[in-house]
Amino acid sequence: MSPFQGYRGDAVLAGVRSRKRVFASAADEPVTAAAVPKRQKRRKEPSLDALPDECLFEVLRRVRGARARCASACVSRRWLALLAGIRASETVLAPPAPAVPDLNQEYLGGEDDDEEEADLMDHDGDSRERTFEGKEATDARLTAAAVAGRLASVSVRGSHPARGVTDAGISALARGCPALRSLGLWDVPQVTDAGLAEIAAECHALERLDITGCPLITDKGLVAVAQGCPELRSLTIEACSGVANEGLKAIGRSCAKLQAVNIKNCAQVDDQGVSGLVCSATASLAKVRLQGLSITDASLAVIGYYGKAITDLTLARLPAVGERGFWVMANALGLQKLRCMTIVSCPGLTDLALASVAKFSPSLKLVNLRKCSKVSDGCLKEFAESARVLENLQIEECNKVTLMGILGFLLNCSPKFKALSLAKCIGIKDICSAPAQLPVCKSLRSLTIKDCPGFTDASLAVVGMICPQLENVNLSGLGAVTDNGFLPLIKSSESGLVNVDLNGCENLTDAAVSALVKAHGSSLAHLSLEGCSKITDASLFAISESCSQLAELDLSNCMVSDYGVAVLAAAKQLKLRILSLSGCMKVTQKSVPFLGSMSSSLEGLNLQFNFIGNHNIASLERQLWRCDILA
């Protein structure tokens, strides 16, 4: 008998009521959930979120490749947190490839895919370097960046006011990026020793550590770094009130490759910490910067004796260090390799101390003195005679230094001396009578006399006579200098001037600029006339005719107009890379066609504070699409 016999009306299915088909049109109202019987509700699809953390952890640690890990991190905060807790050592490696490939499987890529995934986290630059700044500096962002596990350099600048970077984010970074080589934490107040300890436990290849404005980091965190990061080469600690001496001593004992140390504004650091660090790292320490510390003459004595590898030394704002400290540091005969020395706001640096340093530091090439109120003309002659390989001397806000002392220095300086800079020195002013013997310093190539209000035409004319081989001249802020002083300098220069900065020389006129470009137009590469309010289109006409190597021209706040811009644009031999017309009130929208026709070599154009207009700026951006326009 057929199994379907009696299907309709048969006694077997007599009690089963046949269902009518229902056809729903688009206009019909949707069936609400309440109308559907509970037994007809579809069963919920199974989800990985139903798994406990332990099981999901086992799943996620088997995810391979940066692309897959990043995709998994985007699923939920829970997945992101679990991925952040997986150490590199806990990931499950891929099984070995079978001897005979399975041709039925779809090809999913190989080792090259991992290389392509390296730039997933940062498409704008090197994916191995990331910077988190301001409101972007949060634990979530730091954790997401660490998931890929490829970062080598991380900088955190500032922190989100409500969700800033904490130990949790630093710990995730340590677990995800064991190959981290550089870490900078600037103004991150919620990071403590626990976060630094995680870095020390996981990132054994760390070479650079910069901690600035982290008050909760103490010696305990530095001791952990000393024990876990033997490859550390550079250490910067600034404004960390919790750091004292024990951490620095531990760093010195354990980090045998330490080359650079910068300790700044740490109130608890004193002679014990600095001395212990320098004594232990004597073989490798090459660069030392100490600023705003409570150290005394004892620390300088240790530096002078044990600093046998130091080549760069900066001492700033050390009020407790006296003349005796500098004298002992020099006479200890340990700074034989010292090449660069910077002293800022140290009342203990006197004429005797400076002469001693020059005498017993035979390799000294650069000296920078700022706000050293006790340095005067008395030591400059002896300093010049002792520093026989000195190439660069920079003096700023040392008001006892006068032009007579500088002339005495130039008369006795080394034949290798190349650069002299005098800035904000009130004592640098015109002398009543010139010395009987004027020095001739043919080795000097670069001269900066900046913001010295007493320096006028008479002194500038003398400079031209004693420095005939100048190539770089910076006279910024010398408002008293006029054409009468600048023209002799131009005429006496036997070597072609390359870089000339006349920023703020408001009394110079077109005559001086015309003479400059006619005499040195074939060598002039950089010319700044910012704030020279007497410069007009006549100077631009001279520049367009005489300059063939000019690459940078600053005409900010000058009296040039649209005609001058047109002249510059028409000069075919000019290959300007940077042009500034900021504050040129006579430059209007009429200049737009000329600016748009300028050479393709133009890379930077400053059009701030003039009357060109935003619409014309947009047009220029389309024409000069390779150029960075600031408006």
Side-chain angles (χ1 to χ4, degrees), residues 221 307 344 543 550:
V344 182
I543 290 172
L550 192 64

Side-chain angles (χ1 to χ4, degrees), residues 428-487:
I428 301 297
K429 53 187 176 181
D430 294 344
I431 52 179
C432 299
S433 59
Q437 182 183 3
L438 279 176
V440 178
C441 188
K442 292 187 176 181
S443 62
L444 193 65
R445 295 291 185 270
S446 178
L447 176 65
T448 297
I449 304 176
K450 184 177 180 180
D451 296 324
C452 298
F455 193 88
T456 63
D457 291 340
S459 301
L460 192 58
V462 174
V463 168
M465 290 187 287
I466 64 180
C467 306
Q469 299 295 327
L470 286 177
E471 296 179 357
N472 307 305
V473 176
N474 186 342
L475 303 177
S476 299
L478 300 185
V481 170
T482 67
D483 296 353
N484 295 331
F486 189 61
L487 291 175

Side-chain angles (χ1 to χ4, degrees), residues 103-114:
L103 299 181
N104 294 322
Q105 290 184 352
E106 183 181 359
Y107 179 72
L108 298 177
E111 296 179 356
D112 293 341
D113 286 354
D114 291 337

Side-chain angles (χ1 to χ4, degrees), residues 535-537 540 553-569 579-596 598 605-614 616-617 620 629-631:
I535 300 301
T536 66
D537 294 337
L540 300 190
L553 178 61
D554 190 348
L555 299 169
S556 301
N557 300 312
C558 293
M559 298 304 292
V560 298
S561 67
D562 298 330
Y563 174 75
V565 174
V567 169
L568 280 181
L579 173 63
S580 177
L581 297 170
S582 175
C584 297
M585 307 308 291
K586 292 186 176 182
V587 175
T588 67
Q589 59 185 3
K590 295 180 181 179
S591 298
V592 172
F594 307 114
L595 291 172
M598 294 193 74
L605 180 61
N606 189 347
L607 298 176
Q608 291 181 308
F609 312 115
N610 50 38
F611 294 104
I612 291 183
N614 294 333
N616 295 307
I617 294 296
L620 274 177
I629 299 178
L630 184 61

Side-chain angles (χ1 to χ4, degrees), residues 230-452:
E231 300 294 324
L232 192 67
R233 286 173 166 80
S234 176
L235 174 66
T236 297
I237 304 175
E238 180 179 348
C240 294
S241 56
V243 173
N245 299 321
E246 295 303 320
L248 295 181
K249 290 193 285 187
I251 292 288
R253 288 192 302 265
S254 303
C255 301
K257 298 181 180 181
L258 190 66
Q259 298 176 356
V261 171
N262 183 356
I263 312 297
K264 182 177 179 181
N265 298 336
C266 295
Q268 298 191 53
V269 174
D270 55 28
D271 290 328
Q272 291 187 13
V274 173
S275 301
L277 176 64
V278 174
C279 289
S280 302
T282 181
S284 61
L285 198 57
K287 186 175 181 179
V288 176
R289 179 183 176 91
L290 305 175
Q291 178 174 339
L293 306 179
S294 301
I295 61 176
T296 65
D297 298 342
S299 292
L300 265 65
V302 171
I303 291 173
Y305 186 80
Y306 289 99
K308 301 182 186 300
I310 294 179
T311 60
D312 191 337
L313 177 63
T314 298
L315 304 173
R317 292 197 294 108
L318 305 176
V321 174
E323 180 185 62
R324 182 171 175 268
F326 283 99
W327 187 88
V328 172
M329 181 183 73
N331 284 268
L333 303 179
L335 299 177
Q336 299 296 304
K337 295 183 179 181
L338 184 64
R339 296 192 301 174
C340 303
M341 183 179 70
T342 299
I343 310 294
V344 182
S345 299
C346 291
L349 185 69
T350 62
D351 290 345
L352 175 62
L354 184 59
S356 300
V357 170
K359 183 177 181 180
F360 297 108
S361 302
S363 303
L364 201 58
K365 293 185 177 182
L366 185 150
V367 174
N368 186 352
L369 306 176
R370 281 182 281 167
K371 298 182 179 180
C372 296
S373 59
K374 295 184 180 180
V375 173
S376 65
D377 295 342
C379 71
L380 291 182
K381 180 180 178 181
E382 184 179 356
F383 178 76
E385 292 173 348
S386 301
R388 299 315 301 167
V389 297
L390 188 69
E391 297 179 357
N392 192 329
L393 176 62
Q394 302 171 11
I395 301 177
E396 182 177 346
E397 293 189 61
C398 299
N399 295 327
K400 289 187 178 181
V401 175
T402 68
L403 199 56
M404 287 295 294
I406 296 299
L407 293 178
F409 173 86
L410 293 176
L411 186 62
N412 298 276
C413 69
S414 162
K416 297 182 179 180
F417 189 66
K418 298 178 181 179
L420 174 64
S421 176
L422 305 171
K424 300 179 181 179
C425 295
I426 298 177
I428 301 297
K429 53 187 176 181
D430 294 344
I431 52 179
C432 299
S433 59
Q437 182 183 3
L438 279 176
V440 178
C441 188
K442 292 187 176 181
S443 62
L444 193 65
R445 295 291 185 270
S446 178
L447 176 65
T448 297
I449 304 176
K450 184 177 180 180
D451 296 324
C452 298

Side-chain angles (χ1 to χ4, degrees), residues 24-145:
S25 63
D28 292 339
E29 295 182 359
V31 180
T32 61
V36 181
K38 291 184 178 180
R39 62 182 181 181
Q40 294 184 12
K41 286 186 177 180
R42 298 183 60 184
R43 186 179 300 175
K44 292 183 179 179
E45 295 183 0
S47 171
L48 285 177
D49 285 335
L51 295 175
D53 288 349
E54 294 80 2
C55 295
L56 193 55
F57 178 88
E58 291 296 328
V59 173
L60 293 178
R61 77 188 186 100
R62 287 168 168 78
V63 176
R64 294 182 55 224
R67 187 184 299 274
R69 287 195 296 271
C70 292
S72 301
C74 294
V75 172
S76 66
R77 289 184 177 272
R78 181 191 177 201
W79 284 39
L80 175 61
L82 288 173
L83 283 166
I86 301 174
R87 292 181 171 87
S89 59
E90 295 173 337
T91 57
V92 177
L93 299 178
V100 179
D102 187 356
L103 299 181
N104 294 322
Q105 290 184 352
E106 183 181 359
Y107 179 72
L108 298 177
E111 296 179 356
D112 293 341
D113 286 354
D114 291 337
E115 297 177 0
E116 294 177 0
E117 291 168 352
D119 60 351
L120 274 176
M121 302 302 293
D122 189 356
H123 297 284
D124 297 331
D126 188 358
S127 61
R128 295 178 61 83
E129 298 182 5
R130 287 296 302 270
T131 298
F132 303 88
E133 190 168 0
K135 293 183 178 181
E136 294 183 356
T138 63
D139 280 344
R141 287 182 178 271
L142 188 59
T143 302

Side-chain angles (χ1 to χ4, degrees), residues 456-576:
T456 63
D457 291 340
S459 301
L460 192 58
V462 174
V463 168
M465 290 187 287
I466 64 180
C467 306
Q469 299 295 327
L470 286 177
E471 296 179 357
N472 307 305
V473 176
N474 186 342
L475 303 177
S476 299
L478 300 185
V481 170
T482 67
D483 296 353
N484 295 331
F486 189 61
L487 291 175
L489 176 65
I490 297 172
K491 294 177 181 178
S492 61
S493 180
E494 299 174 2
S495 179
L497 293 175
V498 178
N499 300 303
V500 177
D501 192 340
L502 303 174
N503 182 1
C505 296
E506 54 190 17
N507 286 315
L508 292 180
T509 67
D510 293 327
V513 176
S514 299
L516 171 65
V517 298
K518 287 179 181 178
H520 304 281
S522 60
S523 60
L524 195 63
H526 170 88
L527 177 60
S528 176
L529 301 172
E530 181 180 357
C532 298
S533 55
K534 295 183 179 180
I535 300 301
T536 66
D537 294 337
S539 294
L540 300 190
F541 186 79
I543 290 172
S544 64
E545 282 191 333
S546 304
C547 293
S548 57
Q549 303 297 322
L550 192 64
E552 298 183 19
L553 178 61
D554 190 348
L555 299 169
S556 301
N557 300 312
C558 293
M559 298 304 292
V560 298
S561 67
D562 298 330
Y563 174 75
V565 174
V567 169
L568 280 181
K572 299 301 181 183
Q573 78 278 8
L574 270 181
K575 302 296 181 182
L576 287 176

